Structures are given as structure tokens and as C-alpha cells.
Amino acid sequence: MTTDTLEPTVTLNTVWPKIRRRAWLTVLVPCTVLLYLAYTWFAFDITGLLAKARPDRAAILATDSVAYKVQVEKNFRSDTFEVAIEGERTATYDNTDLPDWIDLSGDNAVVDLGEGYEIEIDGKTALFTIPNFGVIRGTATETGVETKLPEGPVPDWVKVDPRKLEVRPTIDRRLQITKTKIEVHNYFAGWENFWFPFRSPLYGMSFSELYALALNADRIDPDYSNLWFVVEEFLSNPDWQHGAVLTALFETIMMAVLGTLTAALFGLPLAFLAARNFTPSLVLRFGTRRLFDFLRGIDMLIWSLIFIRAFGLGPLTGALAIAFTDTGSLGKLFSEALENIDNRQVEGVRATGANQLQRYRFGVIPQILPVFVSQVLYYLESNTRSATVIGALGAGGIGLLLVETMKTSRDWENTSYIIILTIVVVILMDQMSSWLRRKLIEGR
Amino acid sequence: MAVAALEQEILSLRKHRQLYSLIGLLLVVAVLVSGYSKANSMNSGGFLQGLSKFFDYPGEIVAEAIDAGPAFFGQILHFLPAMMETLNIALVATLLGGAGAVVLAMASTRNVDSWGPLIPVVRRIMDVMRAFPELIIALFLIFVLGSSPVPAMIAVAFHTAGALGKLFSEVNDNIDRKPIEGLSACGANWLQRIRFAVLPQVAPNYLSYFLLRLEINVRASAILGFVGAGGIGQELRRTIGWGKGAGDETAAIFVLLFITIMIIDQLSSWLRGRLVGSSRAH
């Protein structure tokens, strides 16, 4: 250790340029960032985007995902009167057993929408009584719709058209008349038919009833035990497809777990080949490092597209795509950890007469084990998120299911159900991996 | 006697440990074996049939790229604007997310005198932000805003704010408190202490994490393009959708993506090495 007796003298001339440079930086850096953001404002055409945005879609999604409608439909063409949940054929009420807010008498009906809102259907005419407004009268004719509104300006929730009348005074009450039918929508909070399908014998049962039923010896279906019947009815619910959703979630988790474990298993031995202190051969080291770069550089996107072509849809495809990319990433991280180990421990083990394998096992592995475990767990949790994206590219799992439900854009409650499940799974994986990390590395 | 007992104890401890390691190892092997056989049966195409086809697709597009000859390089240039768009998405998202992360980190670390009751709240918020898969936010925003780079940008920025916020607050935990105390002795308020005592200490580490995140976000934005968020991903989806005949364009996109990711990787690891010293760069 040498001591410098000549302290470097600090003069104004050495300090000023530094201060000036720093001052310039504090001005220039924020200015550049702002300029760049301004440029991207135009590059992304945000003004045009805001003009084209459809906030009404967000509102539909929000209402539809927390509410469902019961549809009352009078069809003149087939001369039928139908009350159905979400207008689904599979969830149509029997006309002798209607909900009590509908009063059916012959061909005519009175629908009580609550809070003073009431619709009276009389032949081809519907009378919509709206509190503090008046009565809207719409009649279906051979050519279109005749509308009679109370005096005064037309509010914006009434859409009058010669061919169609639409009245929606509140977001949860709606009347539509065309020349062929009168439709009334009454919205209710919640998810319809979530547990069991409408036609199921279990529809509308409470948990305690189900519990009692499951333990009951009298079988509903002679082929299955009651417990199995309940589970089966739940999983095969046609509206919600719990079975399919759970399978898809399982596939996604499988992709993440298998992919990460495989990457770790292949990354570790390869990392030894890429570490300076373990592989003296320059060619081998260089080759392995470039292999890591190649695997990482190709990226999960391209790997999954290639694997989808070769192996088709499914968890195997996703697992392999994750495994290939992360062998590169984990291999690089492990080789850096290997290069930073303390050589004295290895020498200590060597001094006891250990052979090569024993030196690795007792001198090296214990040193990199914390890095190994913590990185693998980090990757596991981030891969759970990646697996949903890979799924959306076409590998299957919850990602694909989500994209498909969104594309049909009909039942938004299904979309929110999938979104909620996905987030729950990701958070659970996150919690589990940090718990494991704490347990394994910091010790209990 | 005592020594013998101690030895006995150590031996039994070691046996336990070996047992646990063995169980752990067996568990991993079991998960792998059963997982792969299950995955193989759930996949629409099997592993063995697929293996023979594995090189078909890459081979096909490489052949088409070779057929295209020198025009292939023109195609790479042709897709450069789309790649720039993807890079813009990633950079803007990282900038906005990073700015959000600094705020979140400053509000959630005891070491920099954040307001106490806020700390656990902000930490939970960051956990939730991190857990939200980008795909979900992007798909939702694409539905509302239409197909454009902005949904991807917002989705990536949201996730980035949570992820970087956590890393930044870990950096904050390890700083030296002396400058903060010195400044408060001069009567500096909280913002002044953050500006003159905290930021100079954490800036190199923040920048390093920022660059690491940028690297990750470039990949993420490329992938999100594939579900309709613009940029190179969307082009890729188009050329792949065309099937046979567009193989050279697909190959051009693959090459462009690969080169860009490599350049950004190398650049950011070099810069990070300079910022915090190579040993702490990862």
C-alpha cells in the first residue's frame, strides 16, 4: 500500500468545468426526454387515437362484467313470448313459471322494472312509463315503428328511427322495438348461472343444500355418486366452462414450471463451459457464450412461433419456447456467478484430496446455490406471466382462451372471470416463489 | 463424551439434509417426467412427430430468403420503421414507467423518510402492478382504444412502474443516511433532501436497472405487437398469416429482431458495466 503525500490540489479551474458540465446535463437531459416524448406523441398519433377511442366500449365491458340481463322478447313473426337470461335458448324460463316482476296475461304483459319504471306490452304496442318524464309509446307496424313521445325536447337516451326505437333511461333498463319484435332488457348485478347451468337440477341451490345433497345416498344420476355429479355439473357448465378454464390455467402453469426447470437443468452445466475459471479453452468458452446470446436473442416470440409450427398447440410448445430462451438467460447469469466464486473454498476441498467431481460438489455448488435458487425462482414467477403471452400467440393455455373470449366480445363476464383467475394465479406464484426464496436462502 | 455426542448430532443433521436434498431432487425429476409426458399428451402435435418437422419451418423460410437473394437485405430495411415503432413503445414505456417507479420508490422506503402509513400501501400497490400480466392490460386497451401502439405502451409502462419500483426501493434501502441527516440539519425539506442527498447516491443503480428493464421491454413490446399493438410484432403476424410465399419477409423480420435485441443487450450491458462496475451489473 502506498500513500500519496502530494494531495491533489483542488482549484477553481478544475472544479468549474465539472460544475458547468453537470449544470448542462441537468438542463439537457430533461429537455431531451421531453422532446422525445413530444415526438412520440405525434409518432403514435395520440391526438387521432383519442378522437377514435371508444370509451363506451369500456363502459359496456364494465357493466357487462358485473351484471347480466334478463331479456323479455315478444316476437311477432313466430308469435312467441320468451323470457330468457342473456337471451340464451338454453336459459329460457317456462312461461308458466316466470320471475315475479313479469305479469303475463295471454299475449300481453306488464314488466315492472322497479323504481316506478314500467313497460306495458299490449299487442304490437309498448308503453314505457318513466318517472319524471312521462310515457313513451312505440308501436310496431308492417313497415317500421311508430313512436309517440311526450311533449318537449327528445333526451339523448331515446333513439328514434323509422325502423327502430331504442329507449334506455338508465343503464340497467332498456326497451327496443323493431317491426318484428319488442324486446325488454332488465339488468341485474352479478354473474348469471355461475355455479350451475340453468337447466341443471342443481340450479339455484345454496351451499348447505349442495353439501347435504353430496352426502345423500339417493343418487340424482344413477351412474355417478352425488358428489361427483355436483363437480361434473359445475365443471361442464356451458356458459362458464369452468373445466376448460381450469385446464387452460393448468396448462399455463405447466408451461412456466416445465420451461423454467428445463432451462435451469441445461443452463447450469453449460454455464460451467462458459465460465473463465472452469473452462480454459477459449474456443469452447466463446462458443458457449455465443450459444447463450443466440438463444436469448432469438427471443421467446420467435421460438414460440417456430415451436407452434413443429409441435402444434399445447403446453409442450410453450414449455419448450420458455426453456430455449431461458437456457440462454439463466446460463449467462450462472456463468457470471461462477466467475465470481471464492477460489479458496475450492482449494480447501482440493487439499483434502478430493477429485474433480468432489471439488465441484463441495467447493463450487454450495457457493452458487443461493444465486441458482433465487434466479430460478425469479424466472419461474416472471415466466408465469410470459406463459400467458405465449399462449396468446397460439400456444394455448389461458392466454389463448382470453384472446378468443375477447374476440367473440359477447360475454364480457367470461372475460373478466378469466382475467381475475389469471391475476390470482400470477399473484399466487409470485407469493409462493418469494416464500420459497425466503425459506431456502435465508433459512426458515 | 461431549465430542462424540456432537459428532452424532452433526451426522444425524447431515443425514437429514441429505434426505431433504434427495426428496427435493426426486420431486423435481418427478415434476419434469410427469409434466412432460402430460404436456406431450395434451399437445395437439406430439414431441416425436414434431421433432422431425422441427427444422421444416426454419428451413422453409431460410430457403425462401436465399431465393430472394440481395432483395432480402432490402426487405430488412423495409421493416426498419416497424422496428423503430417497437423500440419507441419500449423506450416511452420504460421512461414513463421509470418515472412512476421513482415516485413509488420514494414513497415506500423508510430509509428515505417516506411518510410511514403510506409505505405498506404503496408496497402492496406495487405488488399488484407487477402481477398484472401486460397481455391483459394491452388486450383490454386495444379493445377500447383500437389497434395502435399506445395500448402496448401503457400496458408495459404499468408493469414497469411496479417492477422497477420494487428494485428502486431496494436500492433506497441500502443508501447512506448521513447526507440526508446533514441536509435536514441545514433545514432542508423532504423534496430537497431527496434531490440533493438521495438521488445522487442512487442514480447509477437506478440507471442500470432502467437499462435492464429497457432490454426486457423491447422484447415485451415486440410480443405485444403480435396481439395487435403495432410495431414489428404486427408485421410478423401479417407475414406469418400469409403462409407460404411470405417466408422471406418473415425471415427478414426474424433477422431484424435478432440483431436489434443483440445490439440493445450488448449496449445496455456495456453501459451498466460502466455505471456500477461490471461485477454488480447483473
Side-chain angles (χ1 to χ4, degrees):
Chain A
M1 204 196 220
T2 58
T3 319
D4 209 338
T5 46
L6 276 175
E7 288 257 336
T9 44
V10 180
T11 65
L12 216 54
N13 285 341
T14 53
V15 172
W16 261 119
K18 281 186 187 166
I19 290 181
R20 228 175 276 141
R21 189 169 148 251
R22 180 145 283 213
W24 272 113
L25 268 180
T26 40
V27 178
L28 276 182
V29 170
C31 280
T32 325
V33 169
L34 277 181
L35 265 178
Y36 175 71
L37 289 180
Y39 151 73
T40 48
W41 181 280
F42 293 107
F44 291 166
D45 189 23
I46 295 189
T47 336
L49 182 85
L50 289 178
K52 274 189 296 179
R54 305 270 305 273
D56 54 315
R57 285 187 156 192
I60 292 175
L61 199 148
T63 24
D64 198 28
S65 52
V66 293
Y68 69 97
K69 60 173 187 276
V70 176
Q71 198 168 308
V72 181
E73 184 188 319
K74 182 165 186 189
N75 197 319
F76 307 131
R77 207 167 266 166
S78 55
D79 205 25
T80 50
F81 190 89
E82 253 181 21
V83 180
I85 294 174
E86 292 279 356
E88 301 233 8
R89 196 155 291 277
T90 50
T92 310
Y93 284 98
D94 189 16
N95 277 3
T96 54
D97 185 24
L98 290 175
D100 52 9
W101 47 273
I102 301 173
D103 189 9
L104 182 73
S105 55
D107 253 359
N108 304 332
V110 176
V111 184
D112 179 15
L113 296 179
E115 290 173 23
Y117 293 86
E118 195 178 75
I119 296 178
E120 201 184 324
I121 301 174
D122 181 8
K124 285 191 162 192
T125 306
L127 290 164
F128 197 164
T129 315
I130 296 156
N132 305 325
F133 181 71
V135 179
I136 296 178
R137 184 192 180 93
T139 309
T141 60
E142 287 304 313
T143 48
V145 184
E146 262 172 30
T147 309
K148 214 178 122 202
L149 293 170
E151 299 288 313
V154 180
D156 58 355
W157 41 264
V158 179
K159 288 193 190 108
V160 185
D161 186 282
R163 262 182 251 135
K164 188 180 178 185
L165 170 69
E166 164 143 7
V167 187
R168 195 172 192 176
T170 59
I171 200 152
D172 56 345
R173 298 177 179 97
R174 186 188 201 180
L175 168 73
Q176 274 181 330
I177 307 179
T178 61
K179 67 176 179 182
T180 53
K181 63 184 176 188
I182 295 175
E183 239 182 74
V184 178
H185 297 170
N186 193 5
Y187 288 80
F188 295 93
W191 285 351
E192 84 280 3
N193 308 342
F194 180 74
W195 298 105
F196 299 106
F198 189 76
R199 292 266 175 256
S200 163
L202 306 172
Y203 183 75
M205 279 192 179
S206 69
F207 277 106
S208 50
E209 279 173 323
L210 283 175
Y211 182 70
L213 186 75
L215 299 178
N216 199 330
D218 297 333
R219 292 187 166 187
I220 299 177
D221 187 328
D223 295 339
Y224 302 107
S225 76
N226 276 349
L227 181 62
W228 185 242
F229 182 74
V230 170
V231 172
E232 189 64 34
E233 279 288 292
F234 172 69
L235 290 181
S236 62
N237 186 338
D239 290 338
W240 292 89
Q241 302 183 332
H242 301 287
V245 171
L246 292 181
T247 317
L249 264 181
F250 177 66
E251 275 184 34
T252 300
I253 296 174
M254 206 147 87
M255 282 183 208
V257 172
L258 284 182
T260 316
L261 282 181
T262 316
L265 284 187
F266 282 94
L268 188 61
L270 283 174
F272 277 95
L273 286 181
R276 197 182 309 123
N277 41 354
F278 289 94
T279 308
S281 154
L282 194 71
V283 181
L284 207 57
R285 213 164 65 213
F286 186 81
T288 323
R289 285 194 178 171
R290 289 297 83 79
L291 175 71
F292 287 160
D293 285 346
F294 177 75
L295 289 173
R296 259 166 0 112
I298 292 278
D299 198 41
M300 229 172 256
L301 170 64
I302 303 178
W303 281 126
S304 21
L305 291 175
I306 293 177
F307 282 119
I308 289 168
R309 290 288 172 128
F311 300 126
L313 209 90
L316 181 68
T317 310
L320 287 177
I322 290 176
F324 268 61
T325 325
D326 283 354
T327 304
S329 321
L330 285 175
K332 184 170 178 248
L333 284 172
F334 294 160
S335 74
E336 275 162 7
L338 281 173
E339 282 180 359
N340 289 331
I341 62 162
D342 186 355
N343 215 25
R344 279 170 296 188
Q345 287 190 33
V346 188
E347 275 163 23
V349 177
R350 185 206 287 266
T352 63
N355 63 24
Q356 181 93 9
L357 205 66
Q358 285 166 328
R359 284 206 299 274
Y360 279 7
R361 167 68 187 83
F362 296 103
V364 182
I365 298 286
Q367 289 194 56
I368 65 154
L369 205 59
V371 179
F372 179 79
V373 173
S374 75
Q375 290 299 339
V376 168
L377 287 173
Y378 269 129
Y379 271 81
L380 180 64
E381 97 187 36
S382 100
N383 280 339
T384 321
R385 279 189 295 272
S386 309
T388 61
V389 186
I390 294 180
L393 303 181
I398 200 77
L400 191 63
L401 203 62
L402 182 64
V403 173
E404 276 169 358
T405 359
M406 275 200 147
K407 258 189 204 147
T408 57
S409 52
R410 198 173 57 91
D411 282 330
W412 286 107
E413 62 272 22
N414 287 4
T415 314
S416 9
Y417 174 52
I418 294 175
I419 289 179
I420 290 171
L421 274 185
T422 315
I423 292 170
V424 166
V425 165
V426 172
I427 291 181
L428 278 183
M429 287 296 269
D430 192 295
Q431 296 294 322
M432 199 192 72
S433 107
S434 57
W435 177 81
L436 263 179
R437 213 162 29 233
R438 257 200 322 275
K439 264 229 141 127
L440 291 176
I441 294 169
E442 289 160 23
R444 313 288 117 177
Chain B
M1 194 55 202
V3 174
L6 205 63
E7 202 180 313
Q8 207 62 43
E9 202 182 321
I10 289 176
L11 273 179
S12 84
L13 272 179
R14 206 165 87 185
K15 256 188 197 139
H16 271 149
R17 228 189 117 120
Q18 277 172 346
L19 190 69
Y20 287 144
S21 310
L22 195 71
I23 289 174
L25 210 64
L26 282 178
L27 206 67
V28 169
V29 171
V31 166
L32 274 178
V33 171
S34 64
Y36 268 113
S37 60
K38 180 83 187 148
N40 197 23
S41 62
M42 281 170 100
N43 230 53
S44 59
F47 183 68
L48 290 176
Q49 303 98 285
L51 209 56
S52 57
K53 286 189 294 184
F54 180 60
F55 289 103
D56 287 2
Y57 184 59
E60 187 186 309
I61 61 173
V62 166
E64 283 189 39
I66 291 171
D67 282 344
F72 181 67
F73 296 101
Q75 265 164 3
I76 294 185
L77 288 181
H78 170 73
F79 288 115
L80 212 53
M83 192 69 232
M84 281 304 295
E85 190 168 63
T86 296
L87 288 181
N88 277 336
I89 295 173
L91 188 55
V92 175
T94 321
L95 279 172
L96 296 181
V102 173
V103 176
L104 287 174
M106 292 308 171
S108 65
T109 330
R110 201 164 297 278
N111 207 20
V112 301
D113 299 336
S114 313
W115 189 52
L118 207 61
I119 296 175
V121 180
V122 177
R123 295 217 155 176
R124 286 296 86 72
I125 292 177
M126 289 197 296
D127 283 346
V128 172
M129 286 173 98
R130 262 181 322 128
F132 255 88
E134 288 138 341
L135 174 78
I136 287 179
I137 304 175
L139 281 177
F140 170 71
L141 287 174
I142 287 172
F143 178 71
V144 175
L145 296 175
S147 205
S148 125
V150 180
M153 191 197 82
I154 298 174
V156 175
F158 188 78
H159 179 78
T160 301
L164 276 184
K166 182 172 181 251
L167 292 173
F168 285 0
S169 81
E170 273 165 18
V171 174
N172 283 351
D173 267 330
N174 294 324
I175 61 166
D176 186 2
R177 269 192 64 83
K178 278 177 215 145
I180 304 179
E181 277 154 17
L183 275 181
S184 40
C186 308
N189 65 25
W190 185 72
L191 273 180
Q192 286 167 330
R193 273 177 282 160
I194 293 291
R195 165 69 187 84
F196 295 105
V198 179
L199 280 184
Q201 288 190 65
V202 296
N205 283 309
Y206 275 23
L207 268 177
S208 148
Y209 280 132
F210 177 86
L211 287 168
L212 191 69
R213 200 66 222 180
L214 181 66
E215 213 177 298
I216 298 170
N217 284 349
V218 170
R219 295 158 184 263
S221 346
I223 290 197
L224 286 181
F226 206 87
V227 293
I232 197 83
Q234 196 148 18
E235 294 289 321
L236 188 58
R237 188 197 179 98
R238 189 173 55 81
T239 60
I240 281 198
W242 282 351
K244 260 199 157 68
D248 49 341
E249 289 184 60
T250 310
I253 293 176
F254 280 5
V255 169
L256 188 62
L257 203 55
F258 178 68
I259 293 174
T260 316
I261 287 175
M262 289 293 272
I263 291 177
I264 290 187
D265 257 28
Q266 298 296 333
L267 208 67
S268 101
S269 74
W270 177 74
L271 273 174
R272 276 184 288 137
R274 286 200 43 178
L275 278 170
V276 289
S278 56
S279 63
R280 289 170 63 195
H282 44 81

